[in-house]
Amino acid sequence: MASLNVGNLGEYLREQRRNAQLSLRQLADAAGVSNPYLSQIERGLRKPSADVLQQVAKALRISAETLYVRAGILDEKERDELETRAVILADPSINERQKQVLLQIYESFRKENGFETSSYVEDRDDRDRDDQDGAGGDIRGVDGSA
């Protein structure tokens, strides 16, 4: 069987598995996939779905987005945008409203600099605006000023 064009995903997975000091069987069990299937992915014989990559990433405790890029599912620029958003959303030092405002500012800068927004971002922003329309909340800056 010929190798599929999935970049260096298999080599990268093998390296990450070895760094985590896991056998192929241990990783397969932790990720909920079969041992032969994971072996075929590592050898470049199978192209896994995004769901499988997410399970493997979780078992290895690495970024699923990194695996998506290596598998050709996600563009490098999209990954950077998603990781930036994830960091903002995960920050416990700011509240949810501040996170949304910060994401809106980030998106406006990206648009100003000629970067397109992903449909995921636009859909989420639309939902957030719909949620806020009836809430009567005020918009305050990061420093608390109106």
Side-chain angles (χ1 to χ4, degrees):
M1 184 181 280
S3 293
L4 298 173
N5 184 14
V6 290
N8 56 358
L9 174 66
E11 294 171 19
Y12 181 76
L13 280 177
R14 183 178 294 118
E15 179 183 318
Q16 294 303 308
R17 177 176 58 78
R18 289 178 177 162
N19 287 342
Q21 298 180 340
L22 293 171
S23 69
L24 190 65
R25 186 173 308 279
Q26 289 170 320
L27 178 56
D29 288 344
V33 298
S34 75
N35 187 36
Y37 182 61
L38 186 57
S39 174
Q40 290 173 344
I41 293 170
E42 281 194 1
R43 291 181 289 143
L45 301 176
R46 295 275 183 155
K47 182 174 182 178
S49 68
D51 289 338
V52 169
L53 288 175
Q54 185 174 27
Q55 290 169 237
V56 171
K58 185 175 180 182
L60 288 171
R61 297 182 181 180
I62 61 174
S63 164
E65 288 81 10
T66 299
L67 295 184
Y68 296 161
V69 169
R70 293 202 179 247
I73 296 172
L74 184 66
D75 182 79
E76 186 81 31
K77 292 177 184 174
E78 291 172 319
R79 182 192 71 171
D80 292 344
E81 180 185 352
L82 288 173
E83 287 179 350
T84 300
R85 293 177 177 288
V87 168
I88 291 169
L89 292 171
D91 188 337
S93 68
I94 57 177
N95 67 38
E96 290 305 311
R97 179 68 187 133
Q98 291 168 331
K99 290 175 185 180
Q100 292 308 312
V101 170
L102 190 52
L103 286 173
Q104 289 170 357
I105 292 168
Y106 171 69
E107 195 55 46
S108 72
F109 284 150
R110 286 182 51 81
K111 285 180 185 176
E112 183 178 313
N113 292 330
F115 291 94
E116 292 184 26
T117 60
S118 66
S119 59
Y120 166 79
V121 173
E122 290 170 352
D123 291 346
R124 181 179 182 147
D125 288 346
D126 290 343
R127 283 194 310 273
D128 291 340
R129 277 192 286 279
D130 290 344
D131 291 345
Q132 294 166 4
D133 285 343
D138 62 339
I139 298 176
R140 295 193 180 269
V142 175
D143 64 354
S145 62

